[in-house]
Amino acid sequence: MSMIEQATIGVLALQGDFREHAAMLESLGARVVKVRRPSELAGLDGIVLPGGESTTMIKLLDAFELEQPLREAIAAGLPAYGSCAGLILLADRLEDGIEGQRTLGGLDVTARRNSFGRQVDSSEAWLSAPALGADVAAGQAPVHAVFIRAPWIEQTGPAVQVLASVDTPAGQRAVAVRQGHLLATSFHPEVSSDTRVHGLFLEMVRQSAQAAR
């Protein structure tokens, strides 16, 4: 890691709400690099895959020759956090994707696109997530989760830790998960003032750097 005190975090900046992620990370003391080309992956301590449109993102990753280098970096252990479309990019398996839709993979989950409906059906919820310091039972403030054309997680592998779930007509579905160096949320913490998700990611980056020493 470049400096434990100031992690260098890439934010994929091809499409979507990358500016909001960058601003939140900078508010927490990280150095942010907006990633648009393969050379900008060098020297990163972690990367954020923002919300946006997942099918457009994978096409742009291919067009900018970023898809394979990013897939290899994540597989090699680069800490990554994906929100909404970023969760879809990290998922190993996808339901309701367009024909032939690819992901970067790494996260042993099955994600279902647009599970909460169209953009006009976007919703909000208050989530208990003890791993984020949001344990309602312990009197800690819940996480304000904003879902915008969001996926949810249909299935998780044995190594995946579910951090938060919501009740849906189909039963409880995971909306925040962690697996080793990977973190993903269905919702958009970057549009709120709650920094706990990004704070957890920066702690994961710190732990990854220490383990690599």
Side-chain angles (χ1 to χ4, degrees), residues 15 23 38 47 53 64 67 80 95 107 115 121 126 134 153-154 169 172 180 185-186 191 193 212-213:
Q15 190 259 350
I47 190 163
E53 212 296 309
F64 282 78
E67 181 180 350
E95 296 285 347
L107 191 60
S115 300
D121 299 318
W126 293 95
I153 295 171
E154 290 273 320
Q172 274 223 331
T185 62
S186 299
V191 302
S193 59
R213 289 182 168 183

Side-chain angles (χ1 to χ4, degrees), residues 63-86:
F64 282 78
E65 300 183 338
L66 260 170
E67 181 180 350
Q68 193 58 28
L70 185 52
R71 180 180 286 112
E72 290 173 357
I74 291 170
L78 179 69
Y81 163 47
S83 67
C84 198

Side-chain angles (χ1 to χ4, degrees), residues 9-95:
I9 307 296
V11 178
L12 185 64
L14 299 178
Q15 190 259 350
D17 59 347
F18 57 88
R19 295 177 185 84
E20 291 83 352
H21 279 287
M24 184 161 283
L25 289 163
E26 287 172 342
S27 77
L28 292 173
R31 174 179 178 266
V32 173
V33 175
K34 294 184 175 69
V35 175
R36 298 185 176 93
R37 53 182 65 87
S39 61
E40 290 164 339
L41 294 174
L44 297 182
D45 300 313
I47 190 163
V48 171
L49 311 178
E53 212 296 309
S54 60
T55 56
T56 300
M57 281 187 174
I58 200 69
K59 290 176 182 177
L60 289 172
L61 282 167
D62 181 50
F64 282 78
E65 300 183 338
L66 260 170
E67 181 180 350
Q68 193 58 28
L70 185 52
R71 180 180 286 112
E72 290 173 357
I74 291 170
L78 179 69
Y81 163 47
S83 67
C84 198
L87 182 158
I88 291 171
L89 288 177
L90 288 176
D92 282 344
R93 299 170 299 279
L94 186 60
E95 296 285 347

